[in-house]
Amino acid sequence: MDSQTLPATPSLATVTDIIVNQKRGNCVPVFVQLPADLLTPVMAYLRLAKDSKYSFILESVIAGENVGRYSFIGADPFKIVRSGPGQDIEGDPMTALQKELQLYKYVKIPEIPTFTGGAIGYVAYDCIQHFEPKTKPTDFTLADPLGIPESVMMLCDTIIVFDHLYQSVKAVSHVFAPPTSTASDIPFIYTTAVSKARRVAKLLLASSTPGMNSIPQVPIAMDLPTVSNVGRDGYKAFVTNLKERIVAGDIIQAVPSQRLRKETTLHPFNAYRQLRQVNPSPYMFYLDCGDLQLVGASPETLCKVEGNAVYNHAIAGTVRRGKTVEEDAELGNQLLTSAKDRAEHIMLVDLARNDVNRVCQPATVKVDELMKLERFSHVIHMTSLVSGKLREGKTRFDAFRSIFPAGTVSGAPKIKAIELVYGLERERRGVYAGAVGRFDFAEDEMDVCIAIRTMVFKDGAVYFQAGGGIVFDSDEEEEYIETLNKLQGNVRAIEQAERYHLMMQTASKPKTIV
């Protein structure tokens, strides 16, 4: 199949009519389509990102067992937006991102009713200090053991969209006509966009199949050390301290965390390949941000906006999976009937309703699902869904600021809980408990998850982090064990991937004849 002969949709005439005659906007997606029956998202990613410093893949499995309809893959963004101390942008990352994306007046087309381009990246937990300055410690400086930007956003106008329902792949680019453009410029802009889409299609149609050698995996070193930043006693001390603050009436709930650092020679994408097998989740992602890589399988929506409807997914209450169907059902029932977990969950649903209500029309705010059990590879979660319609004059960026960070990773009242936990942890959290996802060219669309069950690869080490909601009757040892249960999926993925690639490397070594 010759990529240069693939027909482009919509046609030049249609795009010209949309932009010049109807004046509906200045950014229209155009695509070429390929069959997907002989192509996987991993294979497509390896072909597209082979020589790129920045790239991403976003995938989804719903309820632990149903593949989400779409997967998104991109590389070679046309711009990188970083924020944080020493970066080009300091302060609120949403202000800079909104400025970048407001140039695009996106026009949706029926042939591709989903994400086609925009900004993909992460926002670190510590950005709360810009949204709520009161949370920034004044009597001490937070340590910064990872030394990463507060946010990294990749602006991409050419991506791959897998449609798993119809078994098709679309290579999408965009006809973007800046305000200075005239009608005579549209044919050239259109031709350029179609050429970019066909160039991506050509990479996907390559006859060679990416193999193990397409990922530069250095020799695997096993049994390298794993170290917690606080340890068992330190985490239990966090719990004790917060229980005292709850009894004193300062807070109702708070979420401390612990971080594990493990040295590894495993390539981050090989970790992602393993993680997507052992812990399929609603938000699976691999982001190569140049100097660091994010590998995640998050179960929890932070903020999703569709047509100005805002959604927040609250997860509070966790138990391990059972070894049998009967034990699994019993553990789920115990979670649903646990007075402690139900009380904790209702507190956080109320907090989610308050967060959504701050930017939405009050009459539209509702709890769509309450205390529903969702099963994942290693744990069972109790979940609820809150939604509302944005008020006039409010944007998706306002919704993001209002909900960030989720109450399920901070506490209630949120601001006071954040202040107290910062006082205990004394470190920047970085990506953990922040957000990962996409902000579309379409001004009323975005989808970001909470950065939990997320690994950060940097400088020869991988970082895992997990926490739990502490209430007045929390048990210190049980809370510590809960963090380990939450980390198990990622830790297991690393260990299994290391063993597999060590076995492959050992098998490929030439045998010595004695």
Short mmCIF file of all heavy atoms in Angstrom, two decimals, residues 12-23 25-26 175-191:
data_model
loop_
_atom_site.label_atom_id
_atom_site.label_comp_id
_atom_site.label_asym_id
_atom_site.label_seq_id
_atom_site.Cartn_x
_atom_site.Cartn_y
_atom_site.Cartn_z
N LEU A 12 -10.19 19.26 0.36
CA LEU A 12 -9.78 20.67 0.35
C LEU A 12 -11.00 21.58 0.23
O LEU A 12 -11.09 22.60 0.93
CB LEU A 12 -8.81 20.93 -0.80
CG LEU A 12 -8.44 22.41 -1.06
CD1 LEU A 12 -7.82 23.04 0.18
CD2 LEU A 12 -7.51 22.51 -2.27
N ALA A 13 -11.95 21.21 -0.62
CA ALA A 13 -13.14 22.04 -0.81
C ALA A 13 -13.92 22.17 0.49
O ALA A 13 -14.40 23.26 0.84
CB ALA A 13 -14.01 21.45 -1.91
N THR A 14 -14.05 21.06 1.23
CA THR A 14 -14.80 21.09 2.49
C THR A 14 -14.09 21.95 3.53
O THR A 14 -14.72 22.76 4.22
CB THR A 14 -14.99 19.66 3.02
OG1 THR A 14 -15.72 18.90 2.06
CG2 THR A 14 -15.74 19.67 4.33
N VAL A 15 -12.79 21.78 3.63
CA VAL A 15 -12.02 22.56 4.61
C VAL A 15 -12.07 24.04 4.27
O VAL A 15 -12.24 24.89 5.16
CB VAL A 15 -10.56 22.05 4.68
CG1 VAL A 15 -9.71 22.98 5.53
CG2 VAL A 15 -10.50 20.62 5.22
N THR A 16 -11.93 24.36 3.01
CA THR A 16 -12.00 25.77 2.59
C THR A 16 -13.36 26.37 2.92
O THR A 16 -13.45 27.51 3.42
CB THR A 16 -11.74 25.88 1.08
OG1 THR A 16 -10.45 25.34 0.78
CG2 THR A 16 -11.79 27.34 0.63
N ASP A 17 -14.41 25.61 2.70
CA ASP A 17 -15.75 26.09 3.01
C ASP A 17 -15.92 26.34 4.51
O ASP A 17 -16.49 27.36 4.93
CB ASP A 17 -16.78 25.07 2.53
CG ASP A 17 -18.21 25.55 2.75
OD1 ASP A 17 -18.54 26.66 2.31
OD2 ASP A 17 -18.99 24.81 3.38
N ILE A 18 -15.38 25.43 5.33
CA ILE A 18 -15.50 25.56 6.79
C ILE A 18 -14.77 26.82 7.28
O ILE A 18 -15.31 27.59 8.10
CB ILE A 18 -14.92 24.31 7.48
CG1 ILE A 18 -15.84 23.11 7.25
CG2 ILE A 18 -14.73 24.55 8.98
CD1 ILE A 18 -15.26 21.79 7.72
N ILE A 19 -13.55 27.03 6.77
CA ILE A 19 -12.72 28.12 7.29
C ILE A 19 -13.05 29.46 6.62
O ILE A 19 -13.20 30.49 7.31
CB ILE A 19 -11.23 27.79 7.11
CG1 ILE A 19 -10.84 26.57 7.96
CG2 ILE A 19 -10.35 28.99 7.46
CD1 ILE A 19 -9.41 26.10 7.78
N VAL A 20 -13.20 29.46 5.30
CA VAL A 20 -13.34 30.72 4.56
C VAL A 20 -14.80 31.18 4.47
O VAL A 20 -15.11 32.34 4.75
CB VAL A 20 -12.74 30.58 3.14
CG1 VAL A 20 -12.95 31.87 2.35
CG2 VAL A 20 -11.26 30.24 3.24
N ASN A 21 -15.69 30.27 4.10
CA ASN A 21 -17.08 30.67 3.87
C ASN A 21 -17.92 30.64 5.15
O ASN A 21 -18.57 31.63 5.50
CB ASN A 21 -17.71 29.76 2.80
CG ASN A 21 -16.97 29.84 1.47
OD1 ASN A 21 -16.44 30.89 1.11
ND2 ASN A 21 -16.91 28.73 0.75
N GLN A 22 -17.90 29.52 5.85
CA GLN A 22 -18.71 29.42 7.07
C GLN A 22 -18.07 30.11 8.27
O GLN A 22 -18.76 30.43 9.24
CB GLN A 22 -18.95 27.94 7.41
CG GLN A 22 -19.69 27.15 6.34
CD GLN A 22 -19.94 25.72 6.78
OE1 GLN A 22 -20.31 25.45 7.93
NE2 GLN A 22 -19.74 24.77 5.86
N LYS A 23 -16.75 30.30 8.21
CA LYS A 23 -16.00 30.96 9.30
C LYS A 23 -16.28 30.30 10.65
O LYS A 23 -16.48 30.98 11.66
CB LYS A 23 -16.34 32.46 9.35
CG LYS A 23 -16.01 33.20 8.06
CD LYS A 23 -16.17 34.68 8.21
CE LYS A 23 -15.94 35.43 6.88
NZ LYS A 23 -14.64 35.14 6.27
N GLY A 25 -14.15 28.34 12.23
CA GLY A 25 -12.93 28.23 13.01
C GLY A 25 -11.72 28.29 12.11
O GLY A 25 -11.82 28.54 10.90
N ASN A 26 -10.53 28.05 12.71
CA ASN A 26 -9.30 28.12 11.92
C ASN A 26 -8.45 26.86 12.02
O ASN A 26 -7.30 26.83 11.58
CB ASN A 26 -8.46 29.34 12.34
CG ASN A 26 -7.93 29.21 13.78
OD1 ASN A 26 -8.10 28.20 14.45
ND2 ASN A 26 -7.29 30.27 14.25
N VAL A 175 -5.26 21.38 9.50
CA VAL A 175 -5.19 22.59 8.70
C VAL A 175 -5.42 23.75 9.66
O VAL A 175 -6.55 23.96 10.13
CB VAL A 175 -6.26 22.60 7.59
CG1 VAL A 175 -6.21 23.92 6.82
CG2 VAL A 175 -6.06 21.43 6.64
N PHE A 176 -4.36 24.44 9.98
CA PHE A 176 -4.44 25.58 10.90
C PHE A 176 -4.14 26.86 10.14
O PHE A 176 -3.05 27.03 9.60
CB PHE A 176 -3.45 25.41 12.06
CG PHE A 176 -3.33 26.64 12.92
CD1 PHE A 176 -4.45 27.20 13.52
CD2 PHE A 176 -2.09 27.23 13.14
CE1 PHE A 176 -4.33 28.34 14.32
CE2 PHE A 176 -1.96 28.35 13.93
CZ PHE A 176 -3.09 28.91 14.52
N ALA A 177 -5.13 27.72 10.09
CA ALA A 177 -5.01 28.98 9.35
C ALA A 177 -4.94 30.13 10.35
O ALA A 177 -5.97 30.55 10.90
CB ALA A 177 -6.19 29.16 8.41
N PRO A 178 -3.75 30.65 10.63
CA PRO A 178 -3.62 31.77 11.57
C PRO A 178 -4.41 32.99 11.09
O PRO A 178 -4.81 33.06 9.91
CB PRO A 178 -2.11 32.05 11.57
CG PRO A 178 -1.48 30.81 11.04
CD PRO A 178 -2.46 30.22 10.08
N PRO A 179 -4.64 33.95 11.98
CA PRO A 179 -5.42 35.14 11.61
C PRO A 179 -4.89 35.89 10.39
O PRO A 179 -5.66 36.55 9.68
CB PRO A 179 -5.34 36.02 12.87
CG PRO A 179 -5.12 35.04 13.99
CD PRO A 179 -4.28 33.96 13.42
N THR A 180 -3.59 35.79 10.14
CA THR A 180 -3.00 36.50 8.99
C THR A 180 -3.21 35.77 7.67
O THR A 180 -2.88 36.29 6.61
CB THR A 180 -1.49 36.68 9.22
OG1 THR A 180 -0.88 35.41 9.47
CG2 THR A 180 -1.23 37.60 10.42
N SER A 181 -3.77 34.55 7.73
CA SER A 181 -3.96 33.76 6.50
C SER A 181 -5.08 34.35 5.65
O SER A 181 -6.01 34.98 6.14
CB SER A 181 -4.30 32.31 6.85
OG SER A 181 -3.29 31.74 7.65
N THR A 182 -4.98 34.10 4.34
CA THR A 182 -6.03 34.47 3.41
C THR A 182 -6.56 33.21 2.74
O THR A 182 -5.99 32.12 2.89
CB THR A 182 -5.51 35.43 2.33
OG1 THR A 182 -4.52 34.75 1.53
CG2 THR A 182 -4.88 36.67 2.96
N ALA A 183 -7.64 33.35 2.00
CA ALA A 183 -8.24 32.19 1.31
C ALA A 183 -7.25 31.52 0.38
O ALA A 183 -7.27 30.30 0.21
CB ALA A 183 -9.48 32.63 0.54
N SER A 184 -6.36 32.32 -0.22
CA SER A 184 -5.39 31.75 -1.16
C SER A 184 -4.33 30.90 -0.46
O SER A 184 -3.62 30.13 -1.12
CB SER A 184 -4.71 32.88 -1.95
OG SER A 184 -4.00 33.74 -1.06
N ASP A 185 -4.21 31.04 0.87
CA ASP A 185 -3.22 30.25 1.62
C ASP A 185 -3.72 28.85 1.95
O ASP A 185 -2.92 27.95 2.24
CB ASP A 185 -2.85 30.96 2.93
CG ASP A 185 -2.17 32.30 2.72
OD1 ASP A 185 -1.37 32.39 1.76
OD2 ASP A 185 -2.44 33.24 3.48
N ILE A 186 -5.03 28.64 1.94
CA ILE A 186 -5.61 27.38 2.43
C ILE A 186 -5.11 26.17 1.63
O ILE A 186 -4.76 25.14 2.25
CB ILE A 186 -7.15 27.44 2.42
CG1 ILE A 186 -7.64 28.59 3.30
CG2 ILE A 186 -7.74 26.12 2.91
CD1 ILE A 186 -7.23 28.50 4.75
N PRO A 187 -5.05 26.22 0.29
CA PRO A 187 -4.57 25.03 -0.44
C PRO A 187 -3.18 24.58 -0.01
O PRO A 187 -2.93 23.37 0.16
CB PRO A 187 -4.59 25.48 -1.90
CG PRO A 187 -5.66 26.52 -1.94
CD PRO A 187 -5.53 27.26 -0.64
N PHE A 188 -2.26 25.52 0.20
CA PHE A 188 -0.90 25.16 0.63
C PHE A 188 -0.91 24.56 2.03
O PHE A 188 -0.26 23.54 2.31
CB PHE A 188 0.03 26.37 0.59
CG PHE A 188 1.40 26.09 1.13
CD1 PHE A 188 2.33 25.39 0.38
CD2 PHE A 188 1.76 26.51 2.42
CE1 PHE A 188 3.59 25.10 0.88
CE2 PHE A 188 3.02 26.23 2.92
CZ PHE A 188 3.94 25.53 2.16
N ILE A 189 -1.67 25.19 2.95
CA ILE A 189 -1.75 24.68 4.32
C ILE A 189 -2.36 23.29 4.33
O ILE A 189 -1.91 22.39 5.06
CB ILE A 189 -2.56 25.65 5.20
CG1 ILE A 189 -1.89 27.04 5.25
CG2 ILE A 189 -2.71 25.10 6.61
CD1 ILE A 189 -2.73 28.11 5.94
N TYR A 190 -3.38 23.09 3.52
CA TYR A 190 -4.05 21.78 3.43
C TYR A 190 -3.07 20.73 2.90
O TYR A 190 -2.96 19.63 3.47
CB TYR A 190 -5.26 21.88 2.51
CG TYR A 190 -6.00 20.58 2.32
CD1 TYR A 190 -7.02 20.20 3.20
CD2 TYR A 190 -5.70 19.72 1.26
CE1 TYR A 190 -7.71 19.00 3.03
CE2 TYR A 190 -6.39 18.51 1.09
CZ TYR A 190 -7.39 18.17 1.97
OH TYR A 190 -8.06 16.98 1.80
N THR A 191 -2.37 21.04 1.84
CA THR A 191 -1.42 20.10 1.25
C THR A 191 -0.33 19.72 2.25
O THR A 191 0.07 18.55 2.35
CB THR A 191 -0.78 20.70 -0.01
OG1 THR A 191 -1.82 20.99 -0.96
CG2 THR A 191 0.21 19.73 -0.64
#
